[in-house]
Amino acid sequence: MKLTKEQSKAHQNAMELVHSDKALSWEERKFILDHYSEQQGQLNALAGAFFTPWGLARDFAIEVGYADGGGSMIDLCAGIGALSFACEDKGLEITCVEMCEAYVTVGKRVVPSANWVLADCFSINGKFDFAISNPPFGAIKGGAYDGPYTGGQFEYKVISHAARLAQYGVFILPQMSAPFRYSGERTFREEETEKARKFREQTGIMMLPNCGIDTAIYKDQWKGVSPICEVVCCEFESAPEKQAAGTTSIVW
């Protein structure tokens, strides 16, 4: 998608903030999130990678963190850190994992308090309280996934790997990958597709509804796409992948 002159100028201003030496204010970091255009030089459409709109990231954060603060969180396929930025006030120790070096450069300025790791998310091991992700959607190739799920959906691979890392997970998925329909619908209903059933049966992971986030409100605020998504929550304590986890430190 070709940027307008105004969008190109805003992107340039965002990059000037990224490459500046000064400590950035909250407003300046938010400006980068709003105006950095991932279309510039990145094959994000082919990679299935699109950054989370701010309003959705803010609502998503409701499902993350402890009431009294503290704990640790890993953001898989972090992009430039929109989800972690929204969770920054939760008192969590945050680790962001992203395999695109350009995104990591930007993300370090958006969420400087996080530990940024340039790596394939499937190469990460460790122990965290929360795992979050807005992963690339669909049959995206790449990564060294080695879990029990044998299908091609990248988002399911990320959830399966997250089960090895955390006690609890929150994820943004395309609506057809969730076992329920809420966003853009008149009422909530359970509706498990064949691919969702396959994922559940192979991994033992239940994808549960969130507290009532209608992502359709933000469908026109994505850059280059207008997806209907769902926010799914997972409790990993009893998942087979969780039982298989055997390390307590971050390794990449």
Side-chain angles (χ1 to χ4, degrees), residues 145-206:
Y145 173 73
D146 65 350
Y149 170 65
T150 62
Q153 299 301 115
F154 192 87
E155 61 267 26
Y156 290 157
K157 295 177 183 179
V158 171
I159 295 176
S160 178
H161 186 67
R164 296 178 173 179
L165 306 177
Q167 299 179 42
Y168 184 77
V170 188
F171 307 93
I172 296 174
L173 303 184
Q175 190 174 65
M176 291 300 293
S177 292
F180 57 85
R181 303 289 177 268
Y182 178 75
S183 297
E185 302 283 340
R186 296 183 64 181
T187 59
F188 172 90
R189 71 178 188 277
E190 295 183 355
E191 186 174 315
E192 187 178 53
T193 62
E194 177 63 22
K195 63 182 180 181
R197 182 195 62 78
K198 177 179 180 178
F199 172 75
R200 173 179 55 79
E201 291 182 349
Q202 289 187 339
T203 66
I205 296 171
M206 299 291 294

Side-chain angles (χ1 to χ4, degrees), residues 26 43 46 57 84 90-91 98 101 131 134 148 152 162 182-183 189 231 240:
W26 187 94
L43 297 176
L46 292 177
S84 287
K90 301 282 186 174
E98 171 57 49
E101 187 173 5
N134 172 18
Y182 178 75
S183 297
R189 71 178 188 277
V231 175

Side-chain angles (χ1 to χ4, degrees), residues 22-173:
K22 68 174 184 175
L24 301 181
S25 66
W26 187 94
E27 289 76 15
E28 288 170 324
R29 294 187 290 140
K30 175 66 162 48
F31 182 89
I32 295 172
L33 275 181
D34 289 341
H35 298 290
Y36 176 80
S37 294
E38 61 267 38
Q39 298 98 321
Q40 294 286 85
Q42 303 296 334
L43 297 176
N44 59 306
L46 292 177
F50 294 91
F51 296 160
T52 315
W54 168 243
L56 177 53
R58 180 193 57 211
D59 289 353
F60 175 98
I62 295 171
E63 289 287 356
V64 184
Y66 297 118
D68 56 354
S72 58
M73 182 188 85
I74 187 165
D75 186 350
L76 301 170
C77 309
I80 62 171
L83 293 181
S84 287
F85 183 75
C87 295
E88 201 175 24
D89 63 351
K90 301 282 186 174
L92 294 160
E93 181 180 339
I94 299 174
T95 296
C96 294
V97 182
E98 171 57 49
M99 67 183 304
C100 174
E101 187 173 5
Y103 293 169
V104 171
T105 297
V106 178
K108 285 181 176 179
R109 295 293 274 159
V110 173
V111 194
S113 61
N115 172 33
W116 281 85
V117 180
L118 176 63
D120 168 8
C121 71
F122 302 124
S123 70
I124 299 298
N125 294 305
K127 186 176 181 180
F128 302 86
D129 294 297
F130 299 91
I132 67 171
S133 185
N134 172 18
F137 298 164
I140 307 301
K141 295 182 179 180
Y145 173 73
D146 65 350
Y149 170 65
T150 62
Q153 299 301 115
F154 192 87
E155 61 267 26
Y156 290 157
K157 295 177 183 179
V158 171
I159 295 176
S160 178
H161 186 67
R164 296 178 173 179
L165 306 177
Q167 299 179 42
Y168 184 77
V170 188
F171 307 93
I172 296 174
L173 303 184

